[in-house]
Amino acid sequence: MEKAKVYFTKEITPEAMIRLYEAMGIKLQGKVAVKLHSGEVGNQNFLRPAFMKPMVDYVNGTIVECNTAYEGKRNTTKEHWETMKLHGWTEIADVDILDEEGEITLPVPEGRRIRQNFVGEHIERYDSMLVLSHFKGHPMGGFGGALKNISIGLASSHGKAFIHGAGKVEEIWTSDHDSFLESMADAAKSIMEYFGGKIVFINVMKNMSVDCDCCAVAEDPAMADVGILASADPTALDQACLDLVYASEDPGRDHLLERIESRNGVHTIEAAAQIGVGSREYELETI
């Protein structure tokens, strides 16, 4: 199997992000959805609209999100819209809460834990997708990157509970942990198949707290910023980010690695590779 191409730059600017997108050589066509993280109210680490705007503009994209499945300021459509406005997303682009009017079911016939994935029905409005992910730690997944952004991130509120519960909504916080990670990989598979080759990924390794942008109260980052990476393969992209954390000589990396390893975070990547979401083998090209 040919190694996936992952592009990397140490420069963390909107212009660098656009250069990496161009380096991939894939021009997203039609109506483009841009999946990013709106940031929970109170979180200090999420990537701000001013940083994302040039890339969103470059693809003439619509920012898309889905409601959460836990308490906070994004768990209802009304509150999520208020958060989008509060954080400034509505000022830089059109915004679409994908599950505002319901959900659709995507099949996952190869899934190890779930055989269907529930995503916001407005996904049907889009021809292609750009996934802008903030790579950082996560309280449950160990880390959040491209795979999490298209699995949990694109799932409807109900779909998020379904993935967390490994197919049993009522076990949202009590399911077997590795089964939850495998369910994320299954959900990611359904998104990759839905868009075919019309989806690309950019991970920004900045503000890398052990906590996710979904945390209203999050730790400040202990590890220094690394750079930006891009690929058409989300599995290779997340693996490359993980490898850069391990390769870092920054003393703060041990704190982030403790979070990732204590949650067996690499297993999401392992499971994704096993069901053909992408490859863990990659070639890193520095731009």
Side-chain angles (χ1 to χ4, degrees):
M1 185 176 179
E2 188 176 346
K3 290 184 179 180
K5 204 71 173 280
V6 178
Y7 300 88
F8 169 66
T9 179
K10 291 181 180 179
E11 181 184 334
I12 305 179
T13 65
E15 295 74 24
M17 199 184 307
I18 291 171
R19 285 199 297 275
L20 288 187
Y21 172 79
E22 291 174 334
M24 285 187 281
I26 301 171
K27 182 171 173 56
L28 296 175
Q29 303 287 342
K31 190 168 176 59
V32 181
V34 179
K35 175 66 181 75
L36 48 72
H37 200 299
S38 50
E40 186 57 62
V41 174
N43 184 277
Q44 75 276 34
N45 299 317
F46 73 93
L47 301 179
R48 298 309 199 264
F51 181 80
M52 298 295 208
K53 177 176 167 54
M55 188 70 253
V56 177
D57 288 346
Y58 192 80
V59 297
N60 192 28
T62 299
I63 293 170
V64 302
E65 259 282 36
C66 280
N67 294 321
T68 61
Y70 51 83
E71 293 300 316
K73 295 296 184 182
R74 299 183 301 130
N75 67 337
T76 67
T77 297
K78 179 179 180 294
E79 288 192 307
H80 205 161
W81 272 113
E82 290 172 356
T83 298
M84 284 291 195
K85 292 170 185 171
L86 176 69
H87 285 169
W89 296 111
T90 56
E91 295 177 16
I92 69 159
D94 290 336
V95 172
D96 190 355
I97 307 295
L98 295 181
D99 58 337
E100 182 171 10
E101 297 179 286
E103 62 187 18
I104 61 169
T105 305
L106 300 182
V108 200
E110 307 93 340
R112 292 177 60 177
R113 297 296 172 184
I114 58 174
R115 295 302 176 93
Q116 53 188 348
N117 181 31
F118 303 99
V119 301
E121 71 169 28
H122 288 184
I123 201 170
E124 296 178 318
R125 296 175 173 177
Y126 301 95
D127 303 299
S128 57
M129 178 171 281
L130 170 63
V131 184
L132 302 181
S133 303
H134 178 199
F135 186 89
K136 70 286 182 194
H138 191 275
M140 290 192 69
F143 75 92
L147 290 168
K148 178 182 177 294
N149 209 359
I150 60 170
S151 56
I152 291 290
L154 286 171
S156 64
S157 182
H158 160 248
K160 286 176 171 62
F162 187 78
I163 293 169
H164 270 284
K168 297 179 181 178
V169 171
E170 66 276 11
E171 294 183 15
I172 177 172
W173 307 126
T174 58
S175 68
D176 171 72
H177 186 71
D178 280 0
S179 296
F180 154 59
L181 302 178
E182 291 163 11
S183 296
M184 278 205 290
D186 293 343
K189 173 80 168 177
S190 74
I191 296 298
M192 293 299 288
E193 292 187 346
Y194 181 82
F195 281 106
K198 302 171 185 175
I199 183 169
V200 295
F201 304 84
I202 297 175
N203 280 7
V204 181
M205 299 184 74
K206 173 183 171 65
N207 298 350
M208 290 182 290
S209 167
V210 297
D211 291 323
C212 180
D213 298 342
C214 58
C215 300
V217 179
E219 270 196 38
D220 288 333
M223 182 178 173
D225 299 341
V226 173
I228 305 176
L229 297 89
S231 182
D233 183 333
T235 304
L237 183 59
D238 281 353
Q239 182 68 61
C241 289
L242 203 54
D243 290 343
L244 284 171
V245 174
Y246 275 101
S248 173
E249 296 179 358
D250 185 88
R253 67 142 208 177
D254 291 345
H255 188 47
L256 181 57
L257 284 176
E258 189 282 329
R259 172 60 58 91
I260 294 170
E261 292 176 351
S262 66
R263 271 65 167 182
N264 196 22
V266 71
H267 190 56
T268 305
I269 296 173
E270 294 170 340
Q274 288 168 359
I275 60 172
V277 177
S279 171
R280 298 181 71 185
E281 300 294 320
Y282 63 91
E283 179 184 337
L284 192 69
E285 181 173 327
T286 301
I287 303 294

